[in-house]
Amino acid sequence: MSLPKTLADDVAKNLVMVANLIDEDPDQAYAYSRVALRLASRVAAVREAAGFAAYATQKYGEALAEFRAARRMTGNVELWPVMADCERGLGRPERAMAMAGEPEVLKLDKAGQVEMRLVAAGARRDMGQLDAAIVTLQGPELGSNSVQPWTARLRYAYADALLSAGRETEARDWFAKALEADKDGATDASDRLAALDGVQFVDVDEEDDLADEHVPDEHPAAEDLSDDLSDDLPDEEPESGPEPGPEGDRA
């Protein structure tokens, strides 16, 4: 759908703000997405951006509605995994699992299929099927030495599932592999690995605060000491002159 130039420019500006803010300030990104949606609700890109902004703020019902609208407009299946994850967010993991078995998954590219596998494994965990979640994450993509944009997240999810199953040694190995692939810091694999190794990090500011707490107070000023000492001294007797002699004493 084409828009008048002025309107198209306004919509584009709001979509740019959504993209720029969605990671650092999702609430603000959501606000911009609502403006774009009000201006051009019949544009698929607007509905998709509104869906991701709602998803980032955990408004899963709203996100799912926007993703469905975008899919109807374009016929694309690339939003299928995130739609399934919205079902998880709504507390319906069984629906997410059903979507993982639909023909749409076969139409996804490799990245989309890996994403669908991550969602399906999460749904298995939601339903208490931890061993099944571990099996779901296994596959050629997990063991491949080739590092793809999704490699770190896949390895991390596998390590986390192993750890939840009490397989700590294996989990440590896979957290290490996730860290190797995580060039952009998309996961906290380094922190999880350090925790397993018993390494504790101390925040520099926190350390300084603790040091300040143990510094003794400075000695009070001399004038304060003199005031304190004066409180302990006995009151001085008032000065008096010589006692008068008996009247009539004359030389």
Side-chain angles (χ1 to χ4, degrees), residues 179-200:
L179 182 59
E180 289 176 2
D182 194 0
K183 306 303 182 184
D184 300 324
T187 72
D188 64 345
S190 60
D191 293 339
R192 301 294 297 275
L193 192 60
L196 287 173
D197 290 340
V199 178
Q200 295 184 345

mmCIF file of all heavy atoms in Angstrom, residues 179-200:
data_model
loop_
_atom_site.group_PDB
_atom_site.id
_atom_site.type_symbol
_atom_site.label_atom_id
_atom_site.label_comp_id
_atom_site.label_asym_id
_atom_site.label_seq_id
_atom_site.Cartn_x
_atom_site.Cartn_y
_atom_site.Cartn_z
ATOM 1 N N LEU A 179 29.889 -19.140 24.734
ATOM 2 C CA LEU A 179 30.718 -17.944 24.889
ATOM 3 C C LEU A 179 31.650 -17.759 23.699
ATOM 4 O O LEU A 179 31.869 -16.629 23.235
ATOM 5 C CB LEU A 179 31.514 -18.038 26.187
ATOM 6 C CG LEU A 179 32.400 -16.839 26.535
ATOM 7 C CD1 LEU A 179 31.570 -15.564 26.643
ATOM 8 C CD2 LEU A 179 33.161 -17.090 27.829
ATOM 9 N N GLU A 180 32.189 -18.841 23.194
ATOM 10 C CA GLU A 180 33.080 -18.769 22.028
ATOM 11 C C GLU A 180 32.370 -18.170 20.816
ATOM 12 O O GLU A 180 32.972 -17.444 20.021
ATOM 13 C CB GLU A 180 33.594 -20.169 21.673
ATOM 14 C CG GLU A 180 34.596 -20.744 22.679
ATOM 15 C CD GLU A 180 34.986 -22.170 22.320
ATOM 16 O OE1 GLU A 180 34.499 -22.668 21.271
ATOM 17 O OE2 GLU A 180 35.766 -22.787 23.059
ATOM 18 N N ALA A 181 31.082 -18.481 20.684
ATOM 19 C CA ALA A 181 30.323 -18.022 19.520
ATOM 20 C C ALA A 181 29.659 -16.669 19.737
ATOM 21 O O ALA A 181 29.159 -16.066 18.780
ATOM 22 C CB ALA A 181 29.253 -19.061 19.162
ATOM 23 N N ASP A 182 29.649 -16.208 20.980
ATOM 24 C CA ASP A 182 28.906 -14.992 21.319
ATOM 25 C C ASP A 182 29.799 -13.765 21.195
ATOM 26 O O ASP A 182 30.276 -13.211 22.187
ATOM 27 C CB ASP A 182 28.347 -15.114 22.744
ATOM 28 C CG ASP A 182 27.301 -14.051 23.043
ATOM 29 O OD1 ASP A 182 27.022 -13.228 22.156
ATOM 30 O OD2 ASP A 182 26.776 -14.042 24.171
ATOM 31 N N LYS A 183 30.001 -13.315 19.978
ATOM 32 C CA LYS A 183 30.884 -12.178 19.739
ATOM 33 C C LYS A 183 30.219 -10.844 20.088
ATOM 34 O O LYS A 183 30.906 -9.851 20.337
ATOM 35 C CB LYS A 183 31.322 -12.145 18.261
ATOM 36 C CG LYS A 183 31.948 -13.447 17.766
ATOM 37 C CD LYS A 183 33.164 -13.838 18.614
ATOM 38 C CE LYS A 183 33.811 -15.118 18.087
ATOM 39 N NZ LYS A 183 34.932 -15.571 18.942
ATOM 40 N N ASP A 184 28.906 -10.812 20.104
ATOM 41 C CA ASP A 184 28.184 -9.560 20.340
ATOM 42 C C ASP A 184 27.619 -9.442 21.753
ATOM 43 O O ASP A 184 26.905 -8.484 22.052
ATOM 44 C CB ASP A 184 27.039 -9.418 19.323
ATOM 45 C CG ASP A 184 27.538 -9.401 17.887
ATOM 46 O OD1 ASP A 184 28.629 -8.836 17.667
ATOM 47 O OD2 ASP A 184 26.854 -9.956 17.008
ATOM 48 N N GLY A 185 27.891 -10.419 22.601
ATOM 49 C CA GLY A 185 27.361 -10.371 23.963
ATOM 50 C C GLY A 185 25.856 -10.530 24.022
ATOM 51 O O GLY A 185 25.188 -9.909 24.851
ATOM 52 N N ALA A 186 25.311 -11.380 23.156
ATOM 53 C CA ALA A 186 23.863 -11.582 23.115
ATOM 54 C C ALA A 186 23.368 -12.402 24.300
ATOM 55 O O ALA A 186 22.176 -12.371 24.627
ATOM 56 C CB ALA A 186 23.467 -12.267 21.807
ATOM 57 N N THR A 187 24.258 -13.138 24.955
ATOM 58 C CA THR A 187 23.882 -13.946 26.111
ATOM 59 C C THR A 187 24.761 -13.567 27.304
ATOM 60 O O THR A 187 25.737 -12.837 27.160
ATOM 61 C CB THR A 187 24.073 -15.449 25.814
ATOM 62 O OG1 THR A 187 25.482 -15.739 25.783
ATOM 63 C CG2 THR A 187 23.459 -15.838 24.480
ATOM 64 N N ASP A 188 24.406 -14.094 28.457
ATOM 65 C CA ASP A 188 25.253 -13.893 29.642
ATOM 66 C C ASP A 188 26.043 -15.173 29.938
ATOM 67 O O ASP A 188 26.249 -15.540 31.098
ATOM 68 C CB ASP A 188 24.409 -13.480 30.848
ATOM 69 C CG ASP A 188 23.430 -14.562 31.285
ATOM 70 O OD1 ASP A 188 23.188 -15.513 30.500
ATOM 71 O OD2 ASP A 188 22.891 -14.459 32.408
ATOM 72 N N ALA A 189 26.492 -15.828 28.868
ATOM 73 C CA ALA A 189 27.219 -17.089 29.018
ATOM 74 C C ALA A 189 28.457 -16.930 29.886
ATOM 75 O O ALA A 189 28.799 -17.829 30.662
ATOM 76 C CB ALA A 189 27.609 -17.635 27.637
ATOM 77 N N SER A 190 29.137 -15.797 29.792
ATOM 78 C CA SER A 190 30.345 -15.586 30.598
ATOM 79 C C SER A 190 30.010 -15.577 32.087
ATOM 80 O O SER A 190 30.737 -16.155 32.908
ATOM 81 C CB SER A 190 31.031 -14.276 30.207
ATOM 82 O OG SER A 190 30.163 -13.177 30.403
ATOM 83 N N ASP A 191 28.899 -14.950 32.453
ATOM 84 C CA ASP A 191 28.480 -14.917 33.859
ATOM 85 C C ASP A 191 28.081 -16.306 34.347
ATOM 86 O O ASP A 191 28.417 -16.700 35.474
ATOM 87 C CB ASP A 191 27.313 -13.948 34.043
ATOM 88 C CG ASP A 191 27.707 -12.502 33.797
ATOM 89 O OD1 ASP A 191 28.911 -12.194 33.874
ATOM 90 O OD2 ASP A 191 26.812 -11.684 33.523
ATOM 91 N N ARG A 192 27.364 -17.044 33.504
ATOM 92 C CA ARG A 192 26.930 -18.384 33.905
ATOM 93 C C ARG A 192 28.138 -19.301 34.073
ATOM 94 O O ARG A 192 28.194 -20.124 34.993
ATOM 95 C CB ARG A 192 25.969 -18.957 32.849
ATOM 96 C CG ARG A 192 24.714 -18.134 32.602
ATOM 97 C CD ARG A 192 23.801 -18.113 33.816
ATOM 98 N NE ARG A 192 23.309 -19.419 34.165
ATOM 99 C CZ ARG A 192 22.226 -19.995 33.605
ATOM 100 N NH1 ARG A 192 21.554 -19.359 32.651
ATOM 101 N NH2 ARG A 192 21.819 -21.179 34.001
ATOM 102 N N LEU A 193 29.109 -19.150 33.184
ATOM 103 C CA LEU A 193 30.323 -19.962 33.254
ATOM 104 C C LEU A 193 31.118 -19.631 34.513
ATOM 105 O O LEU A 193 31.603 -20.524 35.214
ATOM 106 C CB LEU A 193 31.162 -19.714 32.004
ATOM 107 C CG LEU A 193 32.325 -20.667 31.724
ATOM 108 C CD1 LEU A 193 31.822 -22.091 31.561
ATOM 109 C CD2 LEU A 193 33.075 -20.224 30.472
ATOM 110 N N ALA A 194 31.214 -18.349 34.818
ATOM 111 C CA ALA A 194 31.939 -17.927 36.017
ATOM 112 C C ALA A 194 31.249 -18.449 37.272
ATOM 113 O O ALA A 194 31.917 -18.870 38.233
ATOM 114 C CB ALA A 194 32.027 -16.405 36.060
ATOM 115 N N ALA A 195 29.931 -18.428 37.290
ATOM 116 C CA ALA A 195 29.186 -18.924 38.446
ATOM 117 C C ALA A 195 29.443 -20.416 38.666
ATOM 118 O O ALA A 195 29.607 -20.874 39.806
ATOM 119 C CB ALA A 195 27.691 -18.666 38.255
ATOM 120 N N LEU A 196 29.497 -21.177 37.586
ATOM 121 C CA LEU A 196 29.775 -22.610 37.700
ATOM 122 C C LEU A 196 31.195 -22.869 38.193
ATOM 123 O O LEU A 196 31.458 -23.860 38.863
ATOM 124 C CB LEU A 196 29.560 -23.295 36.346
ATOM 125 C CG LEU A 196 28.102 -23.460 35.901
ATOM 126 C CD1 LEU A 196 28.043 -23.984 34.473
ATOM 127 C CD2 LEU A 196 27.350 -24.404 36.841
ATOM 128 N N ASP A 197 32.107 -21.946 37.857
ATOM 129 C CA ASP A 197 33.501 -22.087 38.292
ATOM 130 C C ASP A 197 33.752 -21.469 39.661
ATOM 131 O O ASP A 197 34.875 -21.471 40.156
ATOM 132 C CB ASP A 197 34.436 -21.434 37.269
ATOM 133 C CG ASP A 197 34.489 -22.216 35.962
ATOM 134 O OD1 ASP A 197 34.130 -23.406 35.984
ATOM 135 O OD2 ASP A 197 34.890 -21.636 34.937
ATOM 136 N N GLY A 198 32.706 -20.907 40.269
ATOM 137 C CA GLY A 198 32.849 -20.330 41.595
ATOM 138 C C GLY A 198 33.524 -18.982 41.619
ATOM 139 O O GLY A 198 34.030 -18.547 42.659
ATOM 140 N N VAL A 199 33.545 -18.301 40.488
ATOM 141 C CA VAL A 199 34.165 -16.982 40.412
ATOM 142 C C VAL A 199 33.137 -15.925 40.773
ATOM 143 O O VAL A 199 32.015 -15.949 40.271
ATOM 144 C CB VAL A 199 34.724 -16.702 38.998
ATOM 145 C CG1 VAL A 199 35.318 -15.302 38.916
ATOM 146 C CG2 VAL A 199 35.768 -17.748 38.641
ATOM 147 N N GLN A 200 33.517 -15.021 41.660
ATOM 148 C CA GLN A 200 32.632 -13.929 42.066
ATOM 149 C C GLN A 200 33.229 -12.603 41.640
ATOM 150 O O GLN A 200 34.415 -12.352 41.842
ATOM 151 C CB GLN A 200 32.405 -13.930 43.583
ATOM 152 C CG GLN A 200 31.652 -15.158 44.078
ATOM 153 C CD GLN A 200 31.377 -15.072 45.571
ATOM 154 O OE1 GLN A 200 31.970 -14.257 46.271
ATOM 155 N NE2 GLN A 200 30.482 -15.908 46.048
#
